Amino acid sequence: MQCLANLSRTQKGVQAALQAELPLSITDTMKQALQVQAGKGEDLWKQQLCTAAAACLQHMCQHTDARPAVQAAGAIPLLAQLCDLDRWSVQVVRYASAALASIAVGPDVKWETFEAAGTALMALLKCSDSAAAGNAKLAIRNTCDHPKARIALQKVMKEDAAEYLQGLPDLPPDYRYHVPKATMTY
């Protein structure tokens, strides 16, 4: 898996990975690994596998043409699970949060990303690792281009939300509940 992560760093490697349907294979492998209950001392292989898988997905998500394949493979909820510092190493969390930040650039996945990973990303903002916290901040900022994600963030984070929304254009007013009644004049 580490070899695949290294190969996915180049454009040719990403193209070859897409032809081989690598995102689907990686997500299937991650799903199986996440379902296995490892005993004491057996967790190392899981950490290593998830580190390499998250790294591979993160490298692929940096390429515009690979993002839809990663999304279609169902990687977003899996990457959200990997953003838990209590369960995963800092390296796994860094790669997973960076992958979420990269995939959230796409206009059609912003809400899906926030819905699956918003809570985990908000928790990462307070972690001591600056890279993981920075990736989480970037992912949240990328998802907040979607109105639902922005409103949800403002509800949860109250005053702190302003820092993440700084520089984003204001949302258009919501007229659904303020529709003036039509008056008919004859």
Side-chain angles (χ1 to χ4, degrees):
M1 186 71 75
Q2 184 61 47
C3 183
L4 294 173
N6 291 336
L7 288 174
S8 64
R9 290 179 183 255
T10 66
Q11 184 66 30
K12 285 184 180 181
V14 169
Q15 293 302 322
L18 290 174
Q19 288 176 352
E21 298 182 2
L22 186 62
L24 188 58
S25 299
I26 290 173
T27 55
D28 286 344
T29 303
M30 285 175 59
K31 284 177 190 175
Q32 291 174 8
L34 291 173
Q35 291 174 354
V36 172
Q37 297 295 324
K40 285 189 174 182
E42 296 176 8
D43 201 38
L44 180 62
W45 72 269
K46 221 175 178 180
Q47 291 283 343
Q48 291 173 339
L49 176 81
C50 288
T51 299
C56 189
L57 291 174
Q58 187 255 332
H59 297 149
M60 293 186 75
C61 287
Q62 291 176 347
H63 298 273
T64 306
D65 49 342
R67 286 184 201 128
V70 172
Q71 177 197 7
I76 294 173
L78 295 173
L79 291 166
Q81 287 182 38
L82 297 180
C83 286
D84 182 2
L85 276 172
D86 294 333
R87 186 170 175 204
W88 301 103
S89 69
V90 173
Q91 196 172 14
V92 172
V93 173
R94 282 181 189 167
Y95 283 126
S97 58
L100 288 168
S102 293
I103 202 168
V105 170
D108 57 335
V109 295
K110 292 180 183 300
W111 175 242
E112 179 186 349
T113 305
F114 188 84
E115 202 171 32
T119 305
L121 291 169
M122 285 187 261
L124 279 180
L125 293 173
K126 297 174 183 144
C127 81
S128 60
D129 184 66
S130 61
N135 290 339
K137 183 176 180 177
L138 182 59
I140 288 171
R141 185 166 172 77
N142 288 344
T143 60
C144 283
D145 284 340
H146 193 283
K148 286 183 181 178
R150 188 180 301 189
I151 291 167
L153 178 73
Q154 288 172 331
K155 285 181 183 176
V156 174
M157 297 196 72
K158 310 260 189 265
E159 302 87 29
D160 295 337
E163 177 184 346
Y164 305 105
L165 302 176
Q166 190 176 15
L168 293 176
D170 291 334
L171 288 175
D174 187 359
Y175 293 109
R176 288 180 295 177
Y177 305 107
H178 308 288
V179 177
K181 291 185 180 182
T183 56
M184 300 188 95
T185 57
Y186 295 98

Short mmCIF file of all heavy atoms in Angstrom, two decimals, residues 18-72:
data_model
loop_
_atom_site.label_atom_id
_atom_site.label_comp_id
_atom_site.label_asym_id
_atom_site.label_seq_id
_atom_site.Cartn_x
_atom_site.Cartn_y
_atom_site.Cartn_z
N LEU A 18 -6.26 5.61 -11.56
CA LEU A 18 -7.66 5.74 -11.97
C LEU A 18 -8.05 4.66 -12.95
O LEU A 18 -9.17 4.11 -12.87
CB LEU A 18 -7.90 7.13 -12.58
CG LEU A 18 -7.86 8.29 -11.60
CD1 LEU A 18 -7.97 9.62 -12.34
CD2 LEU A 18 -8.94 8.16 -10.55
N GLN A 19 -7.18 4.31 -13.88
CA GLN A 19 -7.47 3.25 -14.83
C GLN A 19 -7.61 1.90 -14.12
O GLN A 19 -8.41 1.06 -14.52
CB GLN A 19 -6.38 3.16 -15.90
CG GLN A 19 -6.43 4.31 -16.89
CD GLN A 19 -5.29 4.26 -17.89
OE1 GLN A 19 -4.37 3.47 -17.78
NE2 GLN A 19 -5.35 5.15 -18.88
N ALA A 20 -6.84 1.72 -13.06
CA ALA A 20 -6.89 0.46 -12.31
C ALA A 20 -7.97 0.48 -11.22
O ALA A 20 -8.09 -0.48 -10.45
CB ALA A 20 -5.53 0.19 -11.67
N GLU A 21 -8.75 1.57 -11.16
CA GLU A 21 -9.80 1.74 -10.16
C GLU A 21 -9.26 1.62 -8.74
O GLU A 21 -9.86 0.99 -7.86
CB GLU A 21 -10.96 0.77 -10.41
CG GLU A 21 -11.63 0.99 -11.73
CD GLU A 21 -12.82 0.07 -11.97
OE1 GLU A 21 -13.15 -0.73 -11.08
OE2 GLU A 21 -13.41 0.19 -13.04
N LEU A 22 -8.12 2.23 -8.52
CA LEU A 22 -7.45 2.17 -7.23
C LEU A 22 -8.26 2.79 -6.08
O LEU A 22 -8.29 2.22 -4.99
CB LEU A 22 -6.07 2.82 -7.32
CG LEU A 22 -5.20 2.70 -6.08
CD1 LEU A 22 -4.89 1.24 -5.77
CD2 LEU A 22 -3.91 3.47 -6.27
N PRO A 23 -8.95 3.92 -6.29
CA PRO A 23 -9.72 4.47 -5.15
C PRO A 23 -10.74 3.48 -4.60
O PRO A 23 -10.91 3.36 -3.38
CB PRO A 23 -10.41 5.69 -5.74
CG PRO A 23 -9.53 6.12 -6.86
CD PRO A 23 -8.98 4.83 -7.43
N LEU A 24 -11.38 2.72 -5.48
CA LEU A 24 -12.35 1.73 -5.03
C LEU A 24 -11.67 0.61 -4.25
O LEU A 24 -12.16 0.17 -3.21
CB LEU A 24 -13.12 1.17 -6.23
CG LEU A 24 -14.31 0.26 -5.92
CD1 LEU A 24 -15.34 0.99 -5.05
CD2 LEU A 24 -14.94 -0.22 -7.19
N SER A 25 -10.53 0.16 -4.73
CA SER A 25 -9.78 -0.89 -4.04
C SER A 25 -9.31 -0.43 -2.67
O SER A 25 -9.38 -1.17 -1.69
CB SER A 25 -8.57 -1.32 -4.86
OG SER A 25 -8.98 -1.84 -6.10
N ILE A 26 -8.83 0.81 -2.60
CA ILE A 26 -8.35 1.34 -1.32
C ILE A 26 -9.50 1.45 -0.32
O ILE A 26 -9.35 1.06 0.84
CB ILE A 26 -7.67 2.70 -1.53
CG1 ILE A 26 -6.35 2.51 -2.27
CG2 ILE A 26 -7.43 3.41 -0.20
CD1 ILE A 26 -5.69 3.81 -2.67
N THR A 27 -10.63 1.99 -0.77
CA THR A 27 -11.75 2.14 0.17
C THR A 27 -12.27 0.79 0.63
O THR A 27 -12.64 0.63 1.79
CB THR A 27 -12.88 2.99 -0.42
OG1 THR A 27 -13.29 2.43 -1.67
CG2 THR A 27 -12.44 4.43 -0.61
N ASP A 28 -12.31 -0.19 -0.25
CA ASP A 28 -12.74 -1.53 0.16
C ASP A 28 -11.78 -2.11 1.20
O ASP A 28 -12.22 -2.71 2.19
CB ASP A 28 -12.83 -2.47 -1.05
CG ASP A 28 -14.03 -2.19 -1.94
OD1 ASP A 28 -14.95 -1.48 -1.48
OD2 ASP A 28 -14.04 -2.67 -3.08
N THR A 29 -10.49 -1.93 0.98
CA THR A 29 -9.49 -2.43 1.92
C THR A 29 -9.63 -1.71 3.26
O THR A 29 -9.56 -2.34 4.33
CB THR A 29 -8.07 -2.23 1.36
OG1 THR A 29 -7.98 -2.88 0.10
CG2 THR A 29 -7.02 -2.79 2.29
N MET A 30 -9.84 -0.40 3.22
CA MET A 30 -10.01 0.36 4.46
C MET A 30 -11.26 -0.07 5.21
O MET A 30 -11.23 -0.19 6.44
CB MET A 30 -10.06 1.86 4.16
CG MET A 30 -8.71 2.45 3.83
SD MET A 30 -8.79 4.20 3.34
CE MET A 30 -9.52 4.96 4.77
N LYS A 31 -12.34 -0.31 4.50
CA LYS A 31 -13.58 -0.75 5.16
C LYS A 31 -13.34 -2.06 5.89
O LYS A 31 -13.78 -2.24 7.03
CB LYS A 31 -14.70 -0.93 4.12
CG LYS A 31 -15.30 0.35 3.64
CD LYS A 31 -16.34 0.08 2.57
CE LYS A 31 -16.79 1.35 1.90
NZ LYS A 31 -17.69 1.11 0.78
N GLN A 32 -12.67 -2.98 5.24
CA GLN A 32 -12.38 -4.28 5.87
C GLN A 32 -11.47 -4.10 7.08
O GLN A 32 -11.69 -4.71 8.12
CB GLN A 32 -11.76 -5.24 4.86
CG GLN A 32 -12.73 -5.68 3.79
CD GLN A 32 -12.07 -6.51 2.71
OE1 GLN A 32 -10.91 -6.88 2.81
NE2 GLN A 32 -12.82 -6.79 1.65
N ALA A 33 -10.47 -3.25 6.96
CA ALA A 33 -9.54 -3.04 8.07
C ALA A 33 -10.24 -2.37 9.25
O ALA A 33 -9.97 -2.70 10.41
CB ALA A 33 -8.36 -2.19 7.62
N LEU A 34 -11.15 -1.45 8.97
CA LEU A 34 -11.85 -0.76 10.05
C LEU A 34 -12.83 -1.68 10.78
O LEU A 34 -13.17 -1.43 11.94
CB LEU A 34 -12.57 0.48 9.51
CG LEU A 34 -11.66 1.61 9.05
CD1 LEU A 34 -12.47 2.70 8.37
CD2 LEU A 34 -10.86 2.18 10.19
N GLN A 35 -13.28 -2.73 10.12
CA GLN A 35 -14.20 -3.67 10.75
C GLN A 35 -13.50 -4.69 11.64
O GLN A 35 -14.12 -5.26 12.52
CB GLN A 35 -15.03 -4.39 9.69
CG GLN A 35 -16.01 -3.48 9.00
CD GLN A 35 -16.72 -4.18 7.85
OE1 GLN A 35 -16.42 -5.31 7.50
NE2 GLN A 35 -17.69 -3.49 7.26
N VAL A 36 -12.21 -4.90 11.42
CA VAL A 36 -11.46 -5.89 12.20
C VAL A 36 -11.18 -5.32 13.58
O VAL A 36 -10.69 -4.21 13.73
CB VAL A 36 -10.11 -6.24 11.49
CG1 VAL A 36 -9.25 -7.11 12.38
CG2 VAL A 36 -10.39 -6.91 10.16
N GLN A 37 -11.50 -6.11 14.59
CA GLN A 37 -11.20 -5.74 15.97
C GLN A 37 -9.83 -6.30 16.32
O GLN A 37 -9.69 -7.49 16.57
CB GLN A 37 -12.27 -6.28 16.93
CG GLN A 37 -13.66 -5.73 16.70
CD GLN A 37 -13.73 -4.24 16.97
OE1 GLN A 37 -13.08 -3.72 17.86
NE2 GLN A 37 -14.52 -3.53 16.16
N ALA A 38 -8.81 -5.45 16.30
CA ALA A 38 -7.46 -5.90 16.59
C ALA A 38 -7.23 -5.95 18.09
O ALA A 38 -7.72 -5.10 18.83
CB ALA A 38 -6.44 -4.97 15.94
N GLY A 39 -6.48 -6.94 18.52
CA GLY A 39 -6.13 -7.07 19.92
C GLY A 39 -4.91 -6.24 20.24
O GLY A 39 -4.39 -5.50 19.41
N LYS A 40 -4.43 -6.36 21.47
CA LYS A 40 -3.24 -5.61 21.87
C LYS A 40 -2.05 -6.02 21.01
O LYS A 40 -1.81 -7.18 20.78
CB LYS A 40 -2.92 -5.87 23.34
CG LYS A 40 -3.84 -5.17 24.28
CD LYS A 40 -3.34 -5.30 25.69
CE LYS A 40 -4.20 -4.46 26.62
NZ LYS A 40 -3.71 -4.53 27.98
N GLY A 41 -1.33 -5.03 20.55
CA GLY A 41 -0.15 -5.28 19.74
C GLY A 41 -0.44 -5.54 18.28
O GLY A 41 0.45 -5.51 17.45
N GLU A 42 -1.69 -5.83 17.95
CA GLU A 42 -2.05 -6.11 16.57
C GLU A 42 -2.54 -4.86 15.85
O GLU A 42 -2.87 -4.91 14.68
CB GLU A 42 -3.13 -7.19 16.51
CG GLU A 42 -2.67 -8.53 17.05
CD GLU A 42 -3.80 -9.55 17.07
OE1 GLU A 42 -4.87 -9.28 16.53
OE2 GLU A 42 -3.58 -10.63 17.65
N ASP A 43 -2.61 -3.77 16.55
CA ASP A 43 -3.13 -2.54 15.98
C ASP A 43 -2.13 -1.86 15.05
O ASP A 43 -2.50 -1.02 14.25
CB ASP A 43 -3.53 -1.59 17.11
CG ASP A 43 -4.52 -0.53 16.64
OD1 ASP A 43 -5.40 -0.87 15.83
OD2 ASP A 43 -4.39 0.62 17.07
N LEU A 44 -0.86 -2.23 15.13
CA LEU A 44 0.18 -1.60 14.32
C LEU A 44 -0.08 -1.76 12.83
O LEU A 44 0.04 -0.80 12.05
CB LEU A 44 1.56 -2.16 14.68
CG LEU A 44 2.73 -1.57 13.90
CD1 LEU A 44 2.85 -0.08 14.17
CD2 LEU A 44 4.02 -2.27 14.27
N TRP A 45 -0.48 -2.95 12.39
CA TRP A 45 -0.74 -3.16 10.96
C TRP A 45 -1.89 -2.29 10.48
O TRP A 45 -1.88 -1.78 9.37
CB TRP A 45 -1.01 -4.64 10.65
CG TRP A 45 -2.34 -5.13 11.13
CD1 TRP A 45 -2.61 -5.71 12.33
CD2 TRP A 45 -3.59 -5.09 10.43
NE1 TRP A 45 -3.95 -6.02 12.42
CE2 TRP A 45 -4.57 -5.65 11.27
CE3 TRP A 45 -3.97 -4.62 9.17
CZ2 TRP A 45 -5.91 -5.77 10.90
CZ3 TRP A 45 -5.31 -4.74 8.80
CH2 TRP A 45 -6.25 -5.31 9.66
N LYS A 46 -2.88 -2.09 11.34
CA LYS A 46 -4.02 -1.25 10.99
C LYS A 46 -3.59 0.21 10.83
O LYS A 46 -4.01 0.89 9.90
CB LYS A 46 -5.07 -1.37 12.10
CG LYS A 46 -6.47 -1.47 11.65
CD LYS A 46 -7.32 -1.71 12.88
CE LYS A 46 -8.75 -1.78 12.53
NZ LYS A 46 -9.61 -2.01 13.66
N GLN A 47 -2.75 0.67 11.74
CA GLN A 47 -2.23 2.04 11.66
C GLN A 47 -1.42 2.22 10.38
O GLN A 47 -1.58 3.22 9.67
CB GLN A 47 -1.34 2.36 12.88
CG GLN A 47 -2.08 2.45 14.18
CD GLN A 47 -2.84 3.75 14.36
OE1 GLN A 47 -2.61 4.74 13.68
NE2 GLN A 47 -3.77 3.74 15.29
N GLN A 48 -0.57 1.26 10.07
CA GLN A 48 0.27 1.35 8.87
C GLN A 48 -0.57 1.30 7.60
O GLN A 48 -0.33 2.07 6.66
CB GLN A 48 1.32 0.24 8.87
CG GLN A 48 2.37 0.43 9.95
CD GLN A 48 3.31 -0.76 10.06
OE1 GLN A 48 3.00 -1.87 9.63
NE2 GLN A 48 4.47 -0.52 10.65
N LEU A 49 -1.53 0.41 7.57
CA LEU A 49 -2.41 0.30 6.40
C LEU A 49 -3.19 1.59 6.20
O LEU A 49 -3.25 2.12 5.08
CB LEU A 49 -3.36 -0.89 6.55
CG LEU A 49 -4.38 -1.01 5.42
CD1 LEU A 49 -3.75 -1.69 4.22
CD2 LEU A 49 -5.60 -1.74 5.88
N CYS A 50 -3.78 2.11 7.26
CA CYS A 50 -4.58 3.32 7.14
C CYS A 50 -3.73 4.54 6.85
O CYS A 50 -4.17 5.46 6.16
CB CYS A 50 -5.42 3.52 8.39
SG CYS A 50 -6.78 2.33 8.49
N THR A 51 -2.48 4.57 7.33
CA THR A 51 -1.57 5.67 6.99
C THR A 51 -1.30 5.68 5.49
O THR A 51 -1.42 6.72 4.83
CB THR A 51 -0.23 5.54 7.76
OG1 THR A 51 -0.50 5.57 9.15
CG2 THR A 51 0.72 6.65 7.38
N ALA A 52 -0.95 4.52 4.95
CA ALA A 52 -0.65 4.44 3.51
C ALA A 52 -1.90 4.70 2.67
O ALA A 52 -1.83 5.39 1.64
CB ALA A 52 -0.06 3.08 3.19
N ALA A 53 -3.05 4.19 3.09
CA ALA A 53 -4.29 4.39 2.34
C ALA A 53 -4.70 5.86 2.35
O ALA A 53 -5.06 6.42 1.30
CB ALA A 53 -5.40 3.53 2.93
N ALA A 54 -4.63 6.49 3.51
CA ALA A 54 -4.98 7.91 3.60
C ALA A 54 -4.00 8.77 2.79
O ALA A 54 -4.39 9.74 2.14
CB ALA A 54 -5.02 8.36 5.05
N ALA A 55 -2.72 8.39 2.81
CA ALA A 55 -1.72 9.12 2.03
C ALA A 55 -2.02 9.01 0.54
O ALA A 55 -1.95 10.00 -0.20
CB ALA A 55 -0.32 8.59 2.32
N CYS A 56 -2.35 7.81 0.10
CA CYS A 56 -2.66 7.59 -1.30
C CYS A 56 -3.89 8.41 -1.72
O CYS A 56 -3.88 9.08 -2.75
CB CYS A 56 -2.89 6.10 -1.55
SG CYS A 56 -3.01 5.67 -3.28
N LEU A 57 -4.94 8.38 -0.90
CA LEU A 57 -6.14 9.15 -1.22
C LEU A 57 -5.86 10.65 -1.19
O LEU A 57 -6.37 11.40 -2.02
CB LEU A 57 -7.27 8.79 -0.25
CG LEU A 57 -7.83 7.38 -0.40
CD1 LEU A 57 -8.82 7.08 0.71
CD2 LEU A 57 -8.47 7.19 -1.76
N GLN A 58 -5.02 11.07 -0.25
CA GLN A 58 -4.68 12.49 -0.17
C GLN A 58 -3.93 12.94 -1.42
O GLN A 58 -4.22 13.97 -1.99
CB GLN A 58 -3.85 12.76 1.09
CG GLN A 58 -3.59 14.24 1.34
CD GLN A 58 -2.19 14.68 1.01
OE1 GLN A 58 -1.26 13.90 1.08
NE2 GLN A 58 -2.04 15.92 0.64
N HIS A 59 -2.98 12.12 -1.87
CA HIS A 59 -2.24 12.47 -3.08
C HIS A 59 -3.16 12.50 -4.29
O HIS A 59 -3.05 13.37 -5.16
CB HIS A 59 -1.11 11.47 -3.33
CG HIS A 59 -0.07 11.47 -2.25
ND1 HIS A 59 0.64 10.35 -1.91
CD2 HIS A 59 0.37 12.44 -1.42
CE1 HIS A 59 1.46 10.64 -0.93
NE2 HIS A 59 1.32 11.91 -0.61
N MET A 60 -4.09 11.56 -4.36
CA MET A 60 -5.01 11.52 -5.49
C MET A 60 -5.97 12.71 -5.47
O MET A 60 -6.30 13.26 -6.52
CB MET A 60 -5.78 10.21 -5.50
CG MET A 60 -4.88 9.02 -5.80
SD MET A 60 -5.78 7.50 -5.97
CE MET A 60 -6.48 7.76 -7.58
N CYS A 61 -6.40 13.13 -4.28
CA CYS A 61 -7.35 14.23 -4.18
C CYS A 61 -6.74 15.57 -4.59
O CYS A 61 -7.46 16.53 -4.82
CB CYS A 61 -7.91 14.33 -2.77
SG CYS A 61 -9.08 13.03 -2.39
N GLN A 62 -5.44 15.63 -4.68
CA GLN A 62 -4.80 16.86 -5.13
C GLN A 62 -4.93 17.04 -6.64
O GLN A 62 -4.65 18.12 -7.15
CB GLN A 62 -3.32 16.86 -4.74
CG GLN A 62 -3.12 16.98 -3.24
CD GLN A 62 -1.67 16.90 -2.83
OE1 GLN A 62 -0.81 16.51 -3.61
NE2 GLN A 62 -1.40 17.25 -1.60
N HIS A 63 -5.39 16.01 -7.34
CA HIS A 63 -5.57 16.07 -8.79
C HIS A 63 -7.06 16.17 -9.10
O HIS A 63 -7.85 15.34 -8.67
CB HIS A 63 -4.97 14.83 -9.46
CG HIS A 63 -3.49 14.72 -9.23
ND1 HIS A 63 -2.57 15.31 -10.06
CD2 HIS A 63 -2.78 14.10 -8.26
CE1 HIS A 63 -1.35 15.07 -9.63
NE2 HIS A 63 -1.45 14.33 -8.53
N THR A 64 -7.41 17.18 -9.86
CA THR A 64 -8.81 17.47 -10.16
C THR A 64 -9.55 16.28 -10.75
O THR A 64 -10.69 16.01 -10.38
CB THR A 64 -8.90 18.66 -11.13
OG1 THR A 64 -8.16 19.74 -10.58
CG2 THR A 64 -10.32 19.09 -11.35
N ASP A 65 -8.91 15.56 -11.67
CA ASP A 65 -9.60 14.45 -12.33
C ASP A 65 -9.76 13.23 -11.43
O ASP A 65 -10.57 12.34 -11.73
CB ASP A 65 -8.90 14.08 -13.63
CG ASP A 65 -7.40 13.91 -13.47
OD1 ASP A 65 -6.85 14.39 -12.46
OD2 ASP A 65 -6.77 13.30 -14.35
N ALA A 66 -9.06 13.16 -10.32
CA ALA A 66 -9.16 12.00 -9.44
C ALA A 66 -10.19 12.21 -8.32
O ALA A 66 -10.68 11.23 -7.75
CB ALA A 66 -7.81 11.69 -8.82
N ARG A 67 -10.53 13.44 -8.02
CA ARG A 67 -11.47 13.71 -6.91
C ARG A 67 -12.82 13.01 -7.08
O ARG A 67 -13.33 12.42 -6.13
CB ARG A 67 -11.68 15.21 -6.74
CG ARG A 67 -10.49 15.89 -6.11
CD ARG A 67 -10.78 17.37 -5.86
NE ARG A 67 -9.52 18.05 -5.74
CZ ARG A 67 -9.18 19.13 -6.42
NH1 ARG A 67 -10.02 19.69 -7.26
NH2 ARG A 67 -8.00 19.67 -6.26
N PRO A 68 -13.43 13.07 -8.28
CA PRO A 68 -14.72 12.38 -8.42
C PRO A 68 -14.62 10.87 -8.19
O PRO A 68 -15.54 10.26 -7.63
CB PRO A 68 -15.14 12.68 -9.86
CG PRO A 68 -14.41 13.92 -10.23
CD PRO A 68 -13.12 13.86 -9.49
N ALA A 69 -13.53 10.26 -8.60
CA ALA A 69 -13.35 8.82 -8.40
C ALA A 69 -13.20 8.49 -6.92
O ALA A 69 -13.74 7.49 -6.43
CB ALA A 69 -12.14 8.31 -9.18
N VAL A 70 -12.50 9.34 -6.19
CA VAL A 70 -12.33 9.13 -4.74
C VAL A 70 -13.68 9.29 -4.05
O VAL A 70 -14.03 8.50 -3.18
CB VAL A 70 -11.27 10.10 -4.18
CG1 VAL A 70 -11.23 10.04 -2.66
CG2 VAL A 70 -9.90 9.80 -4.77
N GLN A 71 -14.44 10.29 -4.45
CA GLN A 71 -15.77 10.50 -3.88
C GLN A 71 -16.69 9.32 -4.20
O GLN A 71 -17.38 8.81 -3.32
CB GLN A 71 -16.39 11.79 -4.40
CG GLN A 71 -17.80 12.02 -3.90
CD GLN A 71 -18.57 13.04 -4.70
OE1 GLN A 71 -18.10 13.51 -5.74
NE2 GLN A 71 -19.74 13.38 -4.24
N ALA A 72 -16.69 8.89 -5.46
CA ALA A 72 -17.56 7.79 -5.88
C ALA A 72 -17.21 6.48 -5.18
O ALA A 72 -18.08 5.64 -4.97
CB ALA A 72 -17.48 7.61 -7.40
#
